[in-house]
Amino acid sequence: MMKIAVLNAGSSSLKFKLFSMPEGEVLRSELIEHIGEENASFKTHKEALESLKIDFKSLDAIGHRVVHGGEKLSESVLIDEDVMNEIENLIPLAPLHNGANLEGIKVAIEVSETPQVAVFDTAFHSTMPKESFLYALPMEMYEKYKIRRYGFHGTSHSFVAKAAADVLEKPLNKLNLITIHLGNGASICAIKDGKSIDTSMGFTPLEGLVMGSRSGDIDPAIVLYMQRELMLSVNEVDTILNKKSGLLGICHENDVREILKSTDENAKLALSMMIRRIQKYMGSYMALLGEVDAFVFTGGIGENSEYIREQILNSLMFQAIKSLVIETNEELEIANETLKVLHKG
Ligand code: ADP
């Protein structure tokens, strides 16, 4: 038996899960929030981690969730100085996440000598072909500035794809799937022969589906109009698109449980918009894949709302395809990946 800890450090939170591997049994699960906020119990991630009084000597490894791996970090890796530098280089591409993820890694290295592994949200999508990951911008935007689709939620898409293969009793590399992760953040992935060939999130997690508070796809000229004509600053537009749009923007609520209970017209409209966008992606991914073995629903909404799943599948084209509901478990996937890296090394 091996003991593997999984650490997910956010800007003001720390999630810690301890697994007994390979069984995947959870030995301990902790969530510390409001780190560094006014009147918070802990000023820093280090204080928060130390408060858990973990016996680090008993651990075989620590796996870290890292949102952005860019093009170079395309699979889970043992963390060394080079890896940390690269995660740092990627902070401008994921300012809300990579800085905090790196902080988590630094703190863990300070308090523990155990091997540390980074697992990236982008990694699963590194198999996308160029025609999927490039934007039709001047080529130098990609070549010089690495502006391209990276895709996110990869740990979740990968986990549920493997679980779907178990349910379908077929090897993953013989399966075509459309995995639909619907949580506060939401994304959809076209999987061909077990590999991601396209996904709805792009250069950042803003693109694609209508989410809790993110707009998903919009005409990029709207951004220019808001700046040029409405005189909004870059930060204001950023806040609108990431925090004030999506379901929240349409009906002042981003919790789908509340929206489902509401009789407000705009609440219904917000749901219809979200569902329509999902259907558009599903249809286009069916066209890319040709044959689809199953749709796989996951995330808080995808796992729990039969009503929304039924609304999404309300088309003869979709009903001909098997539809699965699989609870995602990103922490367990990170523990599995960590174990894999340890065995390789
Ligand atoms: P996150 O992306 O923050 O991890 P989750 O995957 O937990 O989020 O999903 C959160 C969303 O799932 C919320 O909109 C919540 O309302 C929705 N949700 C949770 N349970 C249900 C349910 N029983 N029916 C409908 N929506 C649900």
Side-chain angles (χ1 to χ4, degrees), residues 181-185 254-258 260 299-301 304-305 308:
H181 179 113
L182 306 176
N184 270 313
N254 62 357
D255 187 325
V256 167
R257 276 165 300 199
E258 296 303 318
L260 284 168
I301 303 164
N304 295 305
S305 179
I308 291 180

Side-chain angles (χ1 to χ4, degrees), residues 7 34 128 142 155 166-167 174 189 202 204 211 217 236 249 266 270 293-294 298 308 325 332:
L7 211 58
H34 311 295
M128 285 189 289
Y142 167 59
T155 312
D166 287 345
V167 173
K174 297 252 155 55
C189 181
T204 75
M211 310 181 212
D217 298 336
E236 285 167 332
N266 283 347
D293 294 284
T298 192
I308 291 180
V325 180
L332 179 57

Side-chain angles (χ1 to χ4, degrees), residues 30-174:
E30 306 278 354
L31 169 64
I32 301 178
E33 290 177 293
H34 311 295
I35 299 168
E37 289 173 9
E38 218 175 317
N39 303 322
S41 316
F42 306 107
K43 285 199 190 63
T44 62
H45 282 77
K46 188 166 182 213
E47 282 179 22
L49 187 61
E50 281 174 342
S51 79
L52 297 176
K53 305 233 176 307
I54 298 150
D55 175 13
F56 286 103
K57 290 216 167 62
S58 72
L59 301 182
D60 293 286
I62 301 177
H64 293 267
R65 182 214 185 192
V66 181
V67 165
H68 216 309
E71 285 201 317
K72 289 195 195 133
L73 301 169
S74 59
E75 53 184 78
S76 306
V77 285
L78 200 61
I79 295 173
D80 60 15
E81 202 132 323
D82 288 345
V83 171
M84 285 169 73
N85 286 337
E86 186 56 21
I87 294 171
E88 184 158 21
N89 291 339
L90 293 164
I91 289 176
L93 298 191
L96 296 179
H97 293 109
N98 264 39
N101 300 156
L102 184 62
E103 178 65 21
I105 293 171
K106 284 183 178 160
V107 167
I109 288 176
E110 260 180 66
V111 299
S112 162
E113 287 169 12
T114 195
Q116 320 240 354
V117 170
V119 180
F120 304 96
D121 265 12
T122 46
F124 182 61
H125 303 297
S126 67
T127 47
M128 285 189 289
K130 241 180 183 169
E131 53 268 41
S132 291
F133 77 64
L134 278 185
Y135 293 106
L137 295 168
M139 202 54 156
E140 66 173 29
M141 290 293 160
Y142 167 59
E143 287 172 347
K144 257 198 188 156
Y145 305 110
K146 296 292 163 218
I147 296 177
R148 51 160 285 180
R149 175 183 312 287
Y150 290 99
F152 298 88
H153 282 152
T155 312
S156 176
H157 289 294
S158 163
F159 180 85
V160 299
K162 282 184 227 168
D166 287 345
V167 173
L168 298 168
E169 296 181 340
K170 266 180 119 183
L172 181 57
N173 64 10
K174 297 252 155 55

